[in-house]
Amino acid sequence: MITASMLYDLVVCPHRPTMDLRTDPADRDPTHPFVELLWERGNAYEAKVIAGLSAPFVDLSAYETDEKERRTAEAMDAGAPLIYAGRIRAADLLGVPDLLRREPCGYVPGDIKSGAGEEGPEDDSKPKPHYAVQLALYVDILERQGRLSERRGFVWDRHGEEVPYDLTAPQGKRGTLWQDYEKALALARGIAAGTTETRPAYAAPCKLCHWYSSCTARLKREDDLTLLPELGREKRDALSKTFPTVKAFAAAETAPHILKKKTAFPGIGPDTLEKLQARAKLRADGGRPYAKRPLTFPGHARELFFDVETHPMLELCYLHGFVVRENRDDLTERYVPFFADEPTPEAERAAFRKAWAFLRDHRPCALYYYSPYERTTLAHLARRHPAVCSEDEVRALFDSDDAVDLYHDAVRPHTEWPTLDFSVKTLAEYLGFRWRDPHPSGAASVRWYHDYLANPDPARKQRILDYNEDDCRAMRVLLDALRLIPRRVTG
């Protein structure tokens, strides 16, 4: 049967349904703590929403499989205005929508989500494709049953808002959400029948998947092109017929595949092809990292390495962490955290106020962070807590020559590394740095903070602080390496 969860997974990773259907469950990694938290939060939020419904509804949550399906059909035949936890089926399609609501066009399906109902900036938000395919499956089943005449559904999101999903509305060049669904359904059917073969591909979201170890091992055995940083599934599929492995790509002559400002590979220009082949050569040769042009950094005696921790489901920044170093002397290092012990606006504001004062009081200094997340987080905090500082002040801080995004200002544009990606964890570990926690990740720290809120054990708080401190120190390790990295003339 093709289910909503299968289509959801397929949108996130086309290979995961294949693994779920064909691979020995014993090869699965343990479920990531953050994924467990998402499940728990989702179930808790759904229960809260249902408990708060004022309108009468048919509750089918106590039933399972065929009994649930029979009772769902009976409730719709009887014209129930709202059905919770039903089960619907048509041909090879099976759906378990959270809600079925009777409207003039029939029974409109809805899902309760503990995340935002749409994605993207507030002024240009769009439906989430992985939510849309689930709703489309329900609509497809209801259409086939003759119970719905319009292709639409809704998401009840974490803000308590109903977000409509018009599955026939144009979504730019890619067509409609319904067309996306039809493509996903065809792929899912091929996977289920064993007639469509999929391949793993290395990407950042893989680290949360229970097939991470299995897929990564296969990619390494096959010397897959996605082992190169920023060479994802689409680029791999465009290149792999000509260059099937990293080693083959490294040894190839690319000139015959370049015609003026284009290449024979869709979506890959000559400069990108050259960059990706340089990475292939570096990995194939087991080479050392190098700089493509000179790197310069602020000359201040005082350096601040800054990292924040946030809880996305609570929309809360709960930790601002700094490692301070004087005169490049590691013995002077000290860690200064500002922690929100409660998940409240007041606690968040207090931690932000202290962190902002710390930044202000320690200037002049060089401020180092990794990727724009710290900048965007502080800008968001300034909007939410304008009494602490303004967005203009945050912008001025990060736009100054004293602030350096090590990822966007140095690593990504000016260096090459023989690693799977350019995350600070990957690079620092390559350089020999080790986190004290055996399972360090920002996603895992969200789980730790959630557990700390439930049981404010000092040991749980210390685990979070140790992790954040190590993140800051990892940036220092990376900065010191960048100052010494050899330069190689390219191009």
Side-chain angles (χ1 to χ4, degrees), residues 112-147:
I112 301 168
K113 301 292 188 182
S114 60
E118 296 180 301
E119 62 185 6
E122 294 181 6
D123 58 345
D124 190 30
S125 58
K126 294 179 174 62
K128 292 183 175 180
H130 45 295
Y131 288 178
V133 291
Q134 293 181 297
L135 293 171
L137 175 75
Y138 308 147
V139 168
D140 197 354
I141 295 172
L142 293 163
E143 272 192 351
R144 292 166 187 254
Q145 293 181 347
R147 298 184 185 275

Side-chain angles (χ1 to χ4, degrees), residues 281-308:
K281 291 178 179 178
L282 189 61
R283 182 171 183 86
D285 297 342
R288 306 292 294 175
Y290 63 87
K292 295 179 284 189
R293 51 187 59 86
L295 298 173
T296 58
F297 300 100
H300 294 292
R302 177 177 295 144
E303 298 166 319
L304 268 60
F305 301 91
F306 178 41
D307 183 60
V308 299

Side-chain angles (χ1 to χ4, degrees), residues 78-97:
L82 186 65
I83 302 167
Y84 168 57
R87 189 175 194 259
I88 54 179
R89 180 207 303 253
D92 61 339
L93 309 180
L94 176 64
V96 186

Side-chain angles (χ1 to χ4, degrees), residues 34-199:
F34 182 72
V35 175
E36 289 182 334
L37 178 60
L38 290 176
W39 293 343
E40 293 170 14
R41 292 278 301 177
N43 291 336
Y45 182 66
E46 182 177 321
K48 178 181 177 182
V49 169
I50 296 304
L53 288 177
S54 57
F57 64 95
V58 176
D59 185 353
L60 301 178
S61 60
Y63 304 99
E64 297 183 2
T65 58
D66 293 345
E67 177 72 1
K68 181 190 286 281
E69 190 174 324
R70 180 180 66 79
R71 287 179 177 270
T72 304
E74 290 175 351
M76 288 192 287
D77 289 341
L82 186 65
I83 302 167
Y84 168 57
R87 189 175 194 259
I88 54 179
R89 180 207 303 253
D92 61 339
L93 309 180
L94 176 64
V96 186
D98 293 331
L99 297 168
L100 290 166
R101 186 172 64 200
R102 191 184 68 189
E103 298 186 15
C105 62
Y107 276 94
V108 178
D111 269 342
I112 301 168
K113 301 292 188 182
S114 60
E118 296 180 301
E119 62 185 6
E122 294 181 6
D123 58 345
D124 190 30
S125 58
K126 294 179 174 62
K128 292 183 175 180
H130 45 295
Y131 288 178
V133 291
Q134 293 181 297
L135 293 171
L137 175 75
Y138 308 147
V139 168
D140 197 354
I141 295 172
L142 293 163
E143 272 192 351
R144 292 166 187 254
Q145 293 181 347
R147 298 184 185 275
L148 183 62
S149 60
E150 295 182 7
R151 289 177 173 172
R152 61 184 178 87
F154 63 92
V155 165
W156 203 326
D157 75 0
R158 69 182 178 195
H159 302 295
E161 296 179 356
E162 182 178 315
V163 181
Y165 271 59
D166 181 352
L167 303 173
T168 62
Q171 301 293 314
K173 294 182 179 180
R174 78 167 196 260
T176 67
L177 295 172
W178 187 261
Q179 290 172 318
D180 290 347
Y181 162 70
E182 290 179 321
K183 293 175 186 176
L185 178 60
L187 179 56
R189 282 176 165 155
I191 292 170
T195 57
T196 298
E197 181 180 353
T198 62
R199 297 168 62 189

Side-chain angles (χ1 to χ4, degrees), residues 240-293:
S240 59
K241 289 184 179 179
T242 306
F243 313 122
T245 65
V246 172
K247 186 176 181 179
F249 188 24
E253 176 61 51
T254 59
H257 305 282
I258 299 174
L259 181 61
K260 296 183 179 179
K261 295 184 178 181
K262 295 185 177 182
T263 74
F265 312 108
I268 302 175
D271 291 343
T272 299
L273 185 65
E274 179 184 352
K275 177 179 68 178
L276 294 175
Q277 188 184 45
R279 292 175 183 174
K281 291 178 179 178
L282 189 61
R283 182 171 183 86
D285 297 342
R288 306 292 294 175
Y290 63 87
K292 295 179 284 189
R293 51 187 59 86

